[in-house]
Amino acid sequence: MDREKYKDYVEKAKEHFEKLLWEQLERVEKIQKEGDWIDYSKVHPIIIGVAGGDGIGPYITEQAQRVLEFLLKDEIENGKVEFRKIEGLTIENRVKHMQAVPDEVLEEIKKCHVLLKGPTTTPKKGDPWPNIESANVAIRRALDLFANVRPVRVPELGIDWVFFRENTEGAYMLGSRGIKINDELALDFKIITAPGAERIIRLAFEYARKSGRKKVTVVTKANVVKKTDGLFLDIAERVAKDYPEIEWDDWFIDIMSAKLIDPARRSQFDVIVLPNLYGDILTDEAAQIQGGVGTAGSANIGKRYAMFEAIHGTALRMVKEGREKYANPISMIKAGAMMLEHLGFADKARKLNMAIDICNIYERKVVLTGRSDGATGEELANYVMRTLKDPNLEEKWKKYASH
Ligand code: IPM
Ligand code: MG
């Protein structure tokens, strides 16, 4: 081989790699020094930013906001909670600035405590948009939202899972900063840091402890991806020792994705914690078992900020065909329930989850099809609010849930 021919490429790649290493070492120290969790009971007012995003996003987000405003009526009146519209988190504006999240939009988001966010377009090669980075990924990184919490429940199948997907490392951290050496060779980087793994694994175990859950399952591919996944698993082993009352086990991602559809096994999974890309894939599979990715809400949580979103896309075609008002807002309403819980309004969150179950699983008096032969998102939100007003909500839910 004529090494001379590649020398420049290799030198450039080395420089790039060195830069990444320094950045990540700095990041490790930053995580190690980070402060404690924000205490919302002491925050006044709690500012909830609302960004509708693209496609059906603004329509379904509006319906989720209506439901939240209904539940937080007193808190809004007495100034404990404030809703604030965040402008400019649209594909048009992001392309205009050629930024995943334009600086001025990020500034506004940072003035809030939590963000309710509709789906945003993530351009891929071949789309009419330039290939800018995903807004989700950029916000998660900018606000250090390291935990992506995704519950999946199918009561009739005995499924009650809560996924804790690491949200700021893995293959995503440097996903847009790999190296294309030449036309024949490309490299991407996957990173796991010890403090990054520890904070997500600890959060999963803490959650299990606080919510009375029995088991945590750690998912990696540590038999093959030995360094990064190996570190994740080592840290899990160490953290688990602090939670002796909680059972834990570990699975590899391939067999885990099989077991999620194994009726004999799947109801035994409970809390599941895993690195970023595995979490991305497995939570889509899990959501499909629940009825599709459109049915899932997701919380992105950090110590200072948090963002709540749907995990599905923008369904641009629905808007093009004028069907946006028939888009199902249930995933955004579920994200809203997670927000209420995160902010410490546990009772309101519980009620909202019961109303969602009644409207979406048990009673289904308002059914959306995505077309004009079904109900609108607004009608569904009204139905959820009517259900919330029912003084017998809890009894009703218990009756359904026990069948
Ligand atoms: C998700 C989405 C995002 C991700 C995309 C839109 C970048 O799939 O929230 O799971 O990969 O994290
Ligand atoms: Mg995904």
Side-chain angles (χ1 to χ4, degrees), residues 39 43 74 125 134 180 182 188 193 241 257 269 295 373:
D39 179 356
V43 176
D74 292 345
K125 232 177 152 202
S134 147
K180 186 145 184 265
N182 57 18
D188 274 313
T193 70
K241 293 206 171 78
S257 49
F269 295 118
T295 64
D373 59 354

Side-chain angles (χ1 to χ4, degrees), residues 153-158 160 353-355 357-358 361-363 393-403:
R153 250 165 34 84
V154 190
E156 65 273 25
L157 299 178
D160 187 3
N353 279 321
M354 289 191 285
D357 280 354
I358 292 173
I361 305 178
Y362 300 131
E363 228 179 52
L393 171 70
E394 180 138 13
E395 287 71 46
K396 203 168 170 184
W397 180 84
K398 279 193 183 138
K399 218 169 91 199
Y400 282 123
S402 65
H403 281 212

